Amino acid sequence: MAETVRWLTPEEQRAWRGFVRLHERLGGRLGRLLQSESKVSPADFAVLVHLTDSPHGRQRYQDLARSLEWEKSRMSHHIARMAGRGMVVREECPDDGRGAFVVITDAGREAIEAAAPRHVEAVRDLFLDHVTPAELRVLTEISERVIRRMDEDPS
Amino acid sequence: MAETVRWLTPEEQRAWRGFVRLHERLGGRLGRLLQSESKVSPADFAVLVHLTDSPHGRQRYQDLARSLEWEKSRMSHHIARMAGRGMVVREECPDDGRGAFVVITDAGREAIEAAAPRHVEAVRDLFLDHVTPAELRVLTEISERVIRRMDEDPS
DNA sequence: TAGACACGGTTGATACATCACCCAATGGGA
DNA sequence: TCCCATTGGGTGATGTATCAACCGTGTCTA
């Protein structure tokens, strides 16, 4: 079995390593920047973005988890910590006795509004400004195609 | 200041989110696969790959940290855990009283040789097989260009 | 040759992710 | 109507990442 492995060609190897490293570095910098300048971690940021995108700044735990592709356990722990820092609150759901909402607070809105401009600027400085529109289209297409494949085949 | 932010255009937004999500999903799957089938975490895997690439399967902590872009602290903690599991050993450095080597063990070699084929196969199945050679070249170029920029400007 | 400073690595505290379970509410059949 | 599988969420243990502070060793220079 091990003898039939199709190892990566040099170009494939280079592409794959480059891709992995790109994300590592980019993610690292953006994360550090967010955290150092605004007391909002990348995870916090993602949660807050989704909440501000939702009506009344509220979402069910599960829906949030699905759109962030987090496990419910992670969501639960993380929201608890964020609630502890006053950025969100947990709210019971009257319709469904089991369910719960997570709702953004004023402090949460302030936090993300403070963090967003620097974040967007950094995404530009570090990434978008160095990619041509044509390349960007290729990247978008690759990403969406591969993600679609993974959706179809939950392995 | 907040008024002068160049927010992302819809295409940029789509590209950026796609890129971020692509890595999240791909990384998640590959990591889970690695861990579930071989008792080697993605971090372990990276360390072992670098060690097998080095003469005598040994490298200085710092060198390893630099090429993986880890902090020395992370390296220290992680190697300690890997040593606990018998995949590597720590070795004093005679030339430099401060320094130390990390050396792969036979068990470490077995572990990575067991894990690599499945990993490569998954990288293909999930990613490379869905990207054309031309797209792959674009991706490589983007990655290397952006990484180069970050090297030049350590912000 | 004595400081002073840089380097290589370690440690402990804290935050975070994941896993394996748990629990209660729900909703569909038999 | 009862039963039971499913769903929405929570919990605690464990492994991992990050930060800051630390320590001994090496190196440079006054």
Side-chain angles (χ1 to χ4, degrees):
Chain A
M1 38 182 355
E3 3 291 330
T4 70
V5 179
R6 293 181 300 149
W7 296 101
L8 302 189
T9 68
E11 305 88 57
E12 286 172 335
Q13 174 113 216
R14 190 171 155 204
W16 175 247
R17 290 214 180 182
F19 176 71
V20 169
R21 173 150 304 194
L22 173 59
H23 182 275
E24 284 172 1
R25 309 249 342 224
L26 221 39
R29 286 227 193 170
L30 290 173
R32 260 170 281 149
L33 191 132
L34 266 183
Q35 202 130 23
S36 69
E37 304 212 353
S38 61
K39 234 40 201 164
V40 173
S41 76
D44 297 340
F45 189 81
V47 167
L48 293 176
V49 165
H50 276 265
L51 287 180
T52 52
D53 281 353
S54 322
H56 308 88
R58 65 202 267 123
Q59 273 241 268
R60 292 288 296 262
Y61 273 67
Q62 193 77 346
D63 294 345
L64 205 49
R66 259 189 292 270
S67 49
L68 287 173
E69 308 187 56
W70 286 8
E71 303 177 6
K72 56 187 179 172
S73 157
R74 177 177 178 185
M75 189 56 70
S76 185
H77 282 301
H78 199 92
I79 293 301
R81 282 187 302 255
M82 287 182 75
R85 280 175 288 145
M87 319 192 83
V88 296
V89 289
R90 188 186 185 286
E91 249 183 38
E92 299 295 326
C93 174
D95 301 354
D96 187 333
R98 308 164 288 185
F101 289 101
V102 33
V103 189
I104 192 171
T105 62
D106 290 346
R109 288 192 193 273
E110 281 171 34
I112 192 176
E113 277 162 20
R118 290 286 296 121
H119 182 72
V120 171
E121 199 183 317
V123 168
R124 271 195 189 292
D125 282 357
L126 295 175
F127 185 63
L128 294 173
D129 280 352
H130 312 295
V131 179
T132 70
E135 288 172 337
L136 207 63
R137 276 193 295 277
V138 172
L139 187 61
T140 306
E141 222 189 299
I142 295 176
S143 301
E144 295 182 351
R145 186 189 315 144
V146 173
I147 291 171
R148 217 178 307 126
R149 278 285 304 170
M150 297 182 77
D151 284 338
E152 289 165 7
D153 160 39
S155 162
Chain B
M1 44 190 337
E3 2 292 327
T4 72
V5 178
R6 293 182 298 149
W7 296 102
L8 302 189
T9 67
E11 305 89 58
E12 286 172 336
Q13 175 112 215
R14 190 171 155 204
W16 176 246
R17 290 215 182 182
F19 175 70
V20 169
R21 173 149 304 193
L22 174 58
H23 180 275
E24 285 172 359
R25 310 251 337 225
L26 220 39
R29 286 228 192 169
L30 290 172
R32 259 169 281 150
L33 190 130
L34 220 44
Q35 201 130 24
S36 69
E37 303 211 353
S38 60
K39 234 39 201 163
V40 173
S41 76
D44 297 341
F45 189 80
V47 168
L48 294 176
V49 166
H50 276 265
L51 287 180
T52 52
D53 282 353
S54 322
H56 308 89
R58 65 202 268 123
Q59 274 241 271
R60 292 288 297 262
Y61 273 67
Q62 193 79 346
D63 295 344
L64 204 48
R66 258 189 294 270
S67 49
L68 287 172
E69 308 187 57
W70 286 7
E71 303 178 4
K72 56 188 180 172
S73 156
R74 178 178 179 186
M75 190 55 70
S76 184
H77 282 302
H78 199 93
I79 293 302
R81 284 186 301 253
M82 287 182 74
R85 279 175 288 146
M87 321 193 83
V88 297
V89 290
R90 187 185 185 288
E91 248 183 39
E92 298 296 326
C93 173
D95 301 354
D96 187 333
R98 309 166 287 185
F101 288 101
V102 34
V103 189
I104 192 170
T105 62
D106 290 347
R109 287 193 193 275
E110 281 171 33
I112 192 176
E113 276 162 21
R118 289 286 296 122
H119 181 71
V120 171
E121 199 184 316
V123 169
R124 271 195 189 292
D125 282 357
L126 295 175
F127 185 64
L128 294 173
D129 281 351
H130 312 295
V131 179
T132 71
E135 287 171 337
L136 207 63
R137 277 193 295 277
V138 172
L139 188 62
T140 306
E141 223 189 299
I142 296 175
S143 300
E144 295 182 351
R145 186 189 314 145
V146 173
I147 291 171
R148 217 178 308 125
R149 278 286 303 171
M150 298 182 76
D151 284 338
E152 289 164 7
D153 160 39
S155 161

